[in-house]
Amino acid sequence: MSETGNRLRKLLESPNFDPQSYVKQLSQQSDGDRDLQEHRQKIQNLADETAQNLKKNVYKNYRQFIETAKEISYLESEMYQLSHILTEQKSIMESITQSLLSTDKDETSKEMQAAFPKETEELKQRTLTSLLEKVEGAKNIMDIPGRHLVYNGDLVEFDVDNMSPIQKVHAFLMNDCLLIATWLPNRRGTVKYKYNALYDLESFAVVNVKDNPPMKDMFKILMFPDSRIFQAENSKVKKEWLEILDETKKNKASKEKHKKEEEVPTSPVRAEVSTNPFDMEDEETVESEDGVDLSLEWIQELPEDLDVCIAQRDFEGAVDLLDKLNEYLKDQPATPRVKELRAKVDERVRQLTEVLVFELSPDRSLRGGPKATRRAVSQLIRLGQSTKACELFLKNRAAAVQTAIRQLRIEGATLLYIHKLCNIFFTSLLETAKEFEMDFAGNMGCYSAFVVWSRSAMTMFVDTFSKQVFDSKESLSTAAECVKVAKEHCQQLTEIGLDLTFTLQSLLVKDVKAALQSYKDIIIEATKHRNSEEMWRRMNLMTPEALAKLKEEMRSCGINFQLYTGDDCWVNLSYTVVAFTKQMMSFLEEGLKLYFPELHMVLLESLREIILVAVQHVDYSLRCEQDSEKKSFILQNASFLHDTVLPVVERRFEEAVGKPAKQLQDLRKSTRPVRINPDSTTSLV
């Protein structure tokens, strides 16, 4: 058989194999239907064997497939970061070129202004004035002299969190600010827009948003601590917005820089020596100012070295240079030359801060985990901006946790999903806490911000948890297991001194209370339905196996059931009482898994109401029943509930909670059964 199979395999694997001629030849050589069926079975066996070999190969290389997919994902992230780095380097090179050519541009602009005095600026101002007349609440924007329009156009604003469209806006870019106006649904005359916000060009940064269909042609404006996302009409308009915004910001920064350089005061030069004693003091001051040696080579090259460090993303080197300069100028007088140097360095510090802030923005890749933010955070702290570093770090981690939860697929059983959800969330929270403690070890004031952030992150987790567990109307047993899993994971945070158990309980208490009350109502309705059909007959389980199973169930609940089993498969209790006992004990166990101190009275009252339904039914049956044998049987069921079930419920509740169940004890005392005369109708005292 194996030789035949090998020949058949070689034939099918040969490159010149022709299926049609093979089938034709096979039909001619076969003696009948039996031969064809046998040959068909051989081919089927060969196909099954090939499929098994393919599965084995897949399983054998499965781990390599997963690792390869991860590496591809990491490479994609790194290429995305590399693209951002190249874009930043391009913008830095353009800014350097812009600054080198600024002198020529200034001379050209002066010549143009001399040739056409105020003509161009007046035209721009008139255009801006005519456009702003269409904006409600923007009359005072033209009060600033020299302000004119650079660019304007329609945009659509999107929500930063869920990327849903919010409103249609019209943006006006001026030479020193950006005006956002919203469209008016009910237009009044020439007024089409309403004033929304006005941002100074130095107060925000513009970031390109990578296209992710259907979300495309977008860019983000970052205004600490908020951000806004806008969508352009098409990619061409988006490119124009990004280029013009960048160019306008650079032009404003360049003008302010030249203005500061022109306003730097020069040291007075005396033509003659004075004998005035006050003049002598001035001379000493000048000499002391000249005593600050700024001619050192590293100081002269410091601004350019900072530009190079920022362009090469050598953040540590840039901060080291700043620390070296601060140490050198420590205790030195603030001379005009020192102030000029400080102004140049402060501009580089601002650029460095913007780059570090962008490194921590949620738009960057979040795959590296908390450790990926350590470099930017540590340099921001060294720059004296620990508060900003703390806020950006926590925002970055919040976005990472939210993204991880969104990417979690809802599939299979609810408990399996909750296991994955808790593992992702609490592991991320634990890693974030450890990284925060490492990065902000010397900034104790930031720890309160982390505690507040932890609570907000827990709120986000509970929202997702409740939607999946409580809103989907899962059974109480499933909900109890899910809450138990969440508690166990939350307890792991105590390893680092972070206890969020109370926060988790306070956020879940409303949903858990509703679930307990809902399931209590279901049990009460089911008990009443069984009571309405009660015949007060002994329960027959038909088979020894069923009786053994029932005994095991009762034993697991802590109930001694041996006294209530009769001969063969009979149970000396009614079906209604046995079913009620199983259902109530199940409710007790699930309720104890869901137990919070805030739910103590809720659980006790629910148990009391459930037990009261059964007790009242037994009491009513005893009073109404005339048959002496049935009365005796009913009393036996009442004794089972009072002497066996209720003590077990009280003991189990006290063991789990640590407090006595006073309401249940009072209920048992008030419903104590007595031995009665079969002809009497008195049953309970």
Side-chain angles (χ1 to χ4, degrees):
M1 181 67 183
S2 60
E3 294 180 0
T4 306
N6 290 333
R7 287 199 302 270
L8 180 60
R9 176 179 295 170
K10 290 180 181 179
L11 177 63
L12 296 176
E13 290 177 350
S14 63
N16 299 324
F17 176 72
D18 184 7
Q20 293 184 354
S21 60
Y22 174 74
V23 172
K24 184 177 180 181
Q25 182 181 0
L26 185 64
S27 301
Q28 293 174 353
Q29 294 177 355
S30 63
D31 295 336
D33 182 64
R34 185 181 183 85
D35 289 346
L36 291 176
Q37 290 289 345
E38 290 179 356
H39 204 79
R40 180 180 179 277
Q41 186 62 39
K42 291 178 183 177
I43 295 176
Q44 184 63 44
N45 293 337
L46 185 60
D48 294 340
E49 184 181 352
T50 305
Q52 289 295 327
N53 291 333
L54 286 174
K55 284 184 179 179
K56 289 179 181 178
N57 289 332
V58 170
Y59 294 148
K60 183 179 179 181
N61 301 312
Y62 185 66
R63 186 174 296 278
Q64 295 182 0
F65 292 158
I66 294 176
E67 292 177 355
T68 304
K70 288 182 178 178
E71 290 297 327
I72 292 173
S73 177
Y74 293 150
L75 285 174
E76 181 184 4
S77 174
E78 291 176 359
M79 290 300 296
Y80 181 61
Q81 293 181 0
L82 184 61
S83 172
H84 274 283
I85 293 171
L86 292 174
T87 304
E88 290 175 6
Q89 289 185 345
K90 179 183 176 182
S91 64
I92 292 171
M93 294 299 295
E94 289 177 352
S95 65
I96 294 173
T97 306
Q98 183 90 12
S99 61
L100 293 174
L101 298 176
S102 61
T103 306
D104 296 338
K105 289 185 177 180
D106 289 343
E107 292 177 358
T108 305
S109 63
K110 288 179 181 178
E111 292 176 1
M112 292 295 294
Q113 288 179 2
F116 305 99
K118 299 186 178 178
E119 214 173 276
T120 306
E121 187 155 341
E122 287 180 359
L123 179 60
K124 291 180 179 179
Q125 288 181 349
R126 285 200 300 270
T127 305
L128 177 60
T129 304
S130 62
L131 284 173
L132 291 181
E133 287 176 353
K134 301 178 182 179
V135 181
E136 181 182 294
K139 292 182 180 179
N140 59 345
I141 291 179
M142 287 304 299
D143 294 345
I144 305 299
R147 178 175 286 174
H148 60 266
L149 182 68
V150 178
Y151 192 73
N152 73 99
D154 292 332
L155 300 170
V156 178
E157 184 175 5
F158 278 69
D159 187 87
V160 178
D161 296 326
N162 53 30
M163 298 303 290
S164 60
I166 301 176
Q167 58 187 346
K168 187 177 180 182
V169 301
H170 194 89
F172 300 86
L173 175 62
M174 288 158 268
N175 58 326
D176 62 342
C177 61
L178 176 66
L179 170 65
I180 304 296
T182 58
W183 280 74
L184 287 173
N186 301 320
R187 301 179 182 178
R188 295 182 291 275
T190 59
V191 177
K192 295 182 179 180
Y193 317 106
K194 183 179 180 180
Y195 174 88
N196 178 263
L198 184 69
Y199 303 109
D200 189 271
L201 290 183
E202 294 180 349
S203 66
F204 66 85
V206 184
V207 180
N208 180 29
V209 177
K210 185 180 179 182
D211 288 350
N212 185 17
M215 304 302 175
K216 60 180 183 178
D217 305 327
M218 293 182 173
F219 60 91
K220 179 180 287 190
I221 294 181
L222 302 175
M223 305 83 61
F224 182 79
D226 300 320
S227 61
R228 299 177 73 170
I229 292 183
F230 299 100
Q231 183 183 49
E233 184 179 354
N234 51 52
S235 58
K236 181 180 178 182
V237 176
K238 170 189 172 181
K239 184 179 179 182
E240 290 178 358
W241 269 109
L242 292 175
E243 292 177 352
I244 295 174
L245 276 167
D246 185 55
E247 184 178 353
T248 307
K249 286 171 65 71
K250 290 177 182 177
N251 289 341
K252 185 185 177 187
S254 177
K255 288 180 181 179
E256 291 184 353
K257 180 180 178 182
H258 288 304
K259 187 177 179 181
K260 288 180 181 179
E261 291 176 355
E262 291 174 0
E263 292 177 354
V264 172
T266 56
S267 301
V269 179
R270 291 188 179 83
E272 56 185 29
V273 180
S274 172
T275 58
N276 191 326
F278 295 102
D279 291 343
M280 294 295 290
E281 292 180 4
D282 293 341
E283 289 176 4
E284 291 176 3
T285 304
V286 174
E287 289 176 2
S288 66
E289 289 179 355
D290 294 338
V292 183
D293 186 8
L294 299 181
S295 62
L296 298 176
E297 183 178 357
W298 69 272
I299 293 181
Q300 294 292 326
E301 297 178 355
L302 182 66
E304 289 75 16
D305 289 343
L306 288 174
D307 289 336
V308 172
C309 287
I310 295 172
Q312 294 180 348
R313 304 176 66 80
D314 183 11
F315 306 137
E316 294 82 359
V319 179
D320 289 341
L321 288 174
L322 292 171
D323 289 344
K324 184 178 180 181
L325 176 66
N326 291 331
E327 184 66 26
Y328 180 77
L329 295 180
K330 186 180 177 183
D331 301 329
Q332 297 290 349
T335 65
R337 292 179 61 201
V338 171
K339 290 181 180 179
E340 181 182 356
L341 177 62
R342 287 283 191 189
K344 293 180 180 179
V345 172
D346 288 344
E347 177 63 24
R348 271 71 178 184
V349 171
R350 186 183 64 79
Q351 294 176 6
L352 176 61
T353 303
E354 288 181 356
V355 175
L356 292 173
V357 168
F358 179 70
E359 284 292 311
L360 293 173
S361 66
D363 293 331
R364 302 289 285 173
S365 177
L366 302 172
R367 295 180 182 274
K371 294 181 181 179
T373 63
R374 185 182 301 171
R375 187 181 178 211
V377 168
S378 61
Q379 302 314 313
L380 275 176
I381 293 174
R382 290 180 63 189
L383 289 174
Q385 301 191 43
S386 57
T387 303
K388 180 182 288 188
C390 174
E391 185 171 358
L392 291 171
F393 171 78
L394 294 178
K395 280 189 175 181
N396 180 282
R397 296 313 306 150
V401 173
Q402 193 171 13
T403 301
I405 292 177
R406 284 179 178 175
Q407 291 177 349
L408 183 61
R409 293 183 178 180
I410 302 176
E411 57 184 3
T414 300
L415 185 59
L416 178 62
Y417 172 81
I418 294 301
H419 270 289
K420 294 180 181 178
L421 176 66
C422 291
N423 186 50
I424 288 174
F425 175 75
F426 287 102
T427 302
S428 299
L429 199 61
L430 188 63
E431 291 176 354
T432 302
K434 291 180 179 179
E435 185 64 26
F436 186 90
E437 190 174 11
M438 185 180 298
D439 292 345
F440 298 92
N443 298 272
M444 303 305 293
C446 296
Y447 279 76
S448 58
F450 177 75
V451 174
V452 174
W453 176 85
S454 300
R455 180 175 175 82
S456 64
M458 184 65 75
T459 303
M460 178 188 68
F461 164 77
V462 171
D463 288 342
T464 305
F465 181 93
S466 297
K467 286 178 183 176
Q468 190 64 23
V469 176
F470 297 108
D471 293 354
S472 58
K473 304 299 181 184
E474 291 289 342
S475 65
L476 190 66
S477 59
T478 301
E481 287 297 327
C482 292
V483 172
K484 181 181 177 183
V485 170
K487 284 182 181 178
E488 292 173 351
H489 277 82
C490 189
Q491 194 66 27
Q492 296 175 2
L493 298 177
T494 55
E495 298 175 4
I496 58 170
L498 182 65
D499 191 356
L500 294 176
T501 305
F502 176 76
T503 302
L504 176 65
Q505 291 178 354
S506 62
L507 292 172
L508 284 175
V509 66
K510 182 179 178 181
D511 290 324
V512 174
K513 179 180 178 181
L516 286 173
Q517 292 178 339
S518 174
Y519 201 70
K520 173 204 70 176
D521 294 338
I522 293 174
I523 293 177
I524 290 175
E525 288 299 321
T527 303
K528 288 181 178 180
H529 179 72
R530 287 193 298 267
N531 291 345
S532 65
E533 300 176 353
E534 178 62 81
M535 302 297 292
W536 292 114
R537 295 174 180 173
R538 287 198 305 161
M539 184 178 179
N540 187 359
L541 294 175
M542 307 302 290
T543 63
E545 291 79 8
L547 180 61
K549 182 179 178 182
L550 179 60
K551 287 181 179 180
E552 180 61 26
E553 289 178 359
M554 292 297 178
R555 188 192 64 78
S556 63
C557 295
I559 296 176
N560 184 9
F561 203 64
Q562 194 67 31
L563 300 175
Y564 298 95
T565 56
D567 299 333
D568 297 332
C569 303
W570 290 92
V571 177
N572 297 325
L573 295 171
S574 72
Y575 166 77
T576 300
V577 172
V578 172
F580 167 79
T581 303
K582 291 167 62 177
Q583 202 167 21
M584 190 195 63
M585 295 305 297
S586 174
F587 176 79
L588 173 63
E589 292 300 326
E590 306 305 340
L592 291 175
K593 291 179 183 178
L594 293 168
Y595 179 82
F596 301 148
E598 296 86 352
L599 297 172
H600 183 82
M601 292 304 301
V602 175
L603 183 57
L604 268 181
E605 287 298 325
S606 298
L607 288 170
R608 183 180 176 278
E609 291 180 29
I610 292 172
I611 294 171
L612 199 58
V613 171
V615 169
Q616 288 175 345
H617 172 65
V618 172
D619 178 52
Y620 176 78
S621 299
L622 275 173
R623 294 179 186 278
C624 297
E625 185 60 54
Q626 300 298 324
D627 187 278
S628 59
E629 291 184 2
K630 282 193 175 182
K631 274 192 175 184
S632 178
F633 181 67
I634 294 171
L635 186 62
Q636 187 176 2
N637 283 270
S639 176
F640 171 74
L641 290 175
H642 182 274
D643 298 333
T644 304
V645 177
L646 287 182
V648 171
V649 173
E650 293 172 19
R651 185 175 64 254
R652 181 72 186 93
F653 186 91
E654 187 172 352
E655 288 175 355
V657 176
K659 297 179 182 179
K662 190 173 182 303
Q663 286 80 355
L664 298 182
Q665 293 174 356
D666 295 342
L667 176 64
R668 185 159 62 94
K669 290 177 182 178
S670 64
T671 58
R672 182 171 300 165
V674 295
R675 295 295 175 184
I676 61 172
N677 187 337
D679 297 329
S680 172
T681 58
T682 304
S683 59
L684 301 173
V685 296

